[in-house]
Amino acid sequence: MDWYPPPGEALLMRVNASFATGSAPRVAGLRSFRDTERRDIEEELSGWPAGPGFSPRGKADRAGVRALDIALLGIPRLLNMAANATAPSGSPFGEPHGPGKPREPENEVEDFPVMWAAAGTLARTLPWQLDPARRPKGYRTELVLTDRRLLVLGVSAAAGLAPADALWETPRDTVAEAERMHFSENGSDVRIRFADGSWTRWKVGDAAKLVGQLRGERRPVSGDDVTPQQRDRIAELVAEPPLQVSRAVGEVLPVTEPPQLEQLTDGTVAVHLRVPLSNGTEQSLTRYVDPAGTDVFPKGTAQ
């Protein structure tokens, strides 16, 4: 289940991606597909199977969503308290993150378009498999960014070792803008605007990295490209990853893979580690190190 670019084309990142999902009570769990007049265009999308449609919730349903949100926000805190009673402190089950303040209420509170596209524009060519409500169980979509293209791959758990399907691609120069959309679960939404004026909103595995790559604000580097102080700090992070997990999750094992490094425009280096755990899984960990070798948290990287 893999895909590799041809020789001469550099792979910059590959992450899980799908159409985003509304989080405001009126549109929670929903998504819509619109033209520039805000008409529903689902039936106009060629080859798309029928979906659940978009029907904003009434007041009674919205109240139920708010109550569920409050309950779910408390669950991680309770699990972390139980885990920390017998293990080093930390948040193995994650801290709850509510959505930020909506920047565009018409597109995030009252409606939730994940495709905004006039007839004949690029966003209308996106594959239906990006929609979690349409694709088969056990199927996922991944976003691939190279130095030449933006691609969407389809991966089926039932396909075993079969290669991933290339569902869609576009040259990088068709992407006009990428921006973080913080009114989302853990700030994981990204809006991608195409040169023809159409846009799409996706939930992606690493929003900050994708936006930085598409904007040219990050570039892959090696250990030879960083300062001596950064090199020393990177070695420390590899030797002792700053990761605490519950005993129920497993013990932290030594890092065996070299870290992936990205340099930001101010010289800060993003250090991406894959930390193995004793239960056979891996935990991804990212730390930012400035040219002086000090851990920092650059603006715009909040999760």
Side-chain angles (χ1 to χ4, degrees), residues 13-294:
M13 66 181 297
R14 177 174 173 174
V15 291
N16 289 334
S18 62
F19 286 132
T21 304
S23 57
R26 181 174 171 82
V27 297
L30 305 176
R31 58 190 68 84
S32 64
F33 304 84
R34 306 297 193 198
D35 66 8
T36 54
E37 302 299 321
R38 206 173 285 277
R39 293 188 310 111
D40 184 358
I41 59 173
E42 289 189 63
E43 294 186 359
E44 302 174 15
L45 299 175
S46 178
W48 279 45
F54 178 82
S55 180
R57 291 183 172 82
K59 289 184 178 180
D61 291 334
R62 278 181 266 171
V65 170
R66 288 194 184 96
L68 179 60
D69 284 345
I70 292 171
L72 292 178
L73 283 172
I75 289 175
R77 291 196 178 99
L78 292 174
L79 292 173
N80 287 328
M81 290 173 62
N84 291 334
T86 57
S89 61
S91 301
F93 297 97
E95 284 296 329
H97 293 275
K101 183 178 180 180
R103 193 174 64 195
E104 300 178 2
E106 70 278 14
N107 291 326
E108 299 181 305
V109 176
E110 299 303 318
D111 191 6
F112 197 80
V114 296
M115 178 186 292
W116 187 266
T121 54
L122 185 57
R124 288 207 186 201
T125 68
L126 289 167
W128 60 266
Q129 292 90 337
L130 280 167
D131 188 354
R134 285 179 164 86
R135 62 193 182 203
K137 184 177 181 181
Y139 193 92
R140 72 179 188 275
T141 44
E142 297 181 350
L143 174 68
V144 173
L145 178 65
T146 77
D147 58 347
R148 299 179 185 178
R149 296 178 286 171
L150 185 69
L151 303 95
V152 175
L153 303 181
V155 181
S156 174
L161 299 178
D165 296 322
L167 302 175
W168 178 89
E169 67 174 82
T170 188
R172 279 197 62 166
D173 60 10
T174 64
V175 177
E177 175 64 23
E179 57 185 325
R180 297 277 302 277
M181 305 300 289
H182 292 282
F183 191 71
S184 63
E185 181 185 356
N186 292 330
S188 59
D189 284 10
V190 171
R191 178 162 58 190
I192 297 176
R193 296 183 183 273
F194 299 110
D196 61 13
S198 62
W199 55 259
T200 183
R201 181 169 178 151
W202 291 346
K203 176 181 179 180
V204 299
D206 193 331
K209 182 176 180 179
L210 176 62
V211 169
Q213 288 279 7
L214 287 171
R215 288 182 172 179
E217 297 170 350
R218 299 181 178 216
R219 65 183 185 92
V221 294
S222 69
D224 295 333
D225 301 316
V226 303
T227 68
Q229 295 89 342
Q230 287 174 322
R231 197 174 301 119
D232 291 342
R233 180 54 183 152
I234 292 168
E236 292 173 355
L237 291 171
V238 172
E240 295 186 20
L243 179 66
Q244 294 179 325
V245 298
S246 164
R247 292 176 184 174
V249 176
E251 297 180 0
V252 175
L253 300 179
V255 174
T256 57
E257 296 183 15
Q260 291 185 336
L261 307 178
E262 293 178 308
Q263 191 172 66
L264 282 60
T265 53
D266 64 355
T268 296
V269 171
V271 184
H272 303 287
L273 296 170
R274 297 180 67 87
V275 183
L277 303 178
S278 59
N279 65 358
T281 64
E282 289 184 333
Q283 177 74 48
S284 297
L285 182 67
T286 297
R287 287 293 182 270
Y288 295 86
V289 182
D290 70 12
T294 303

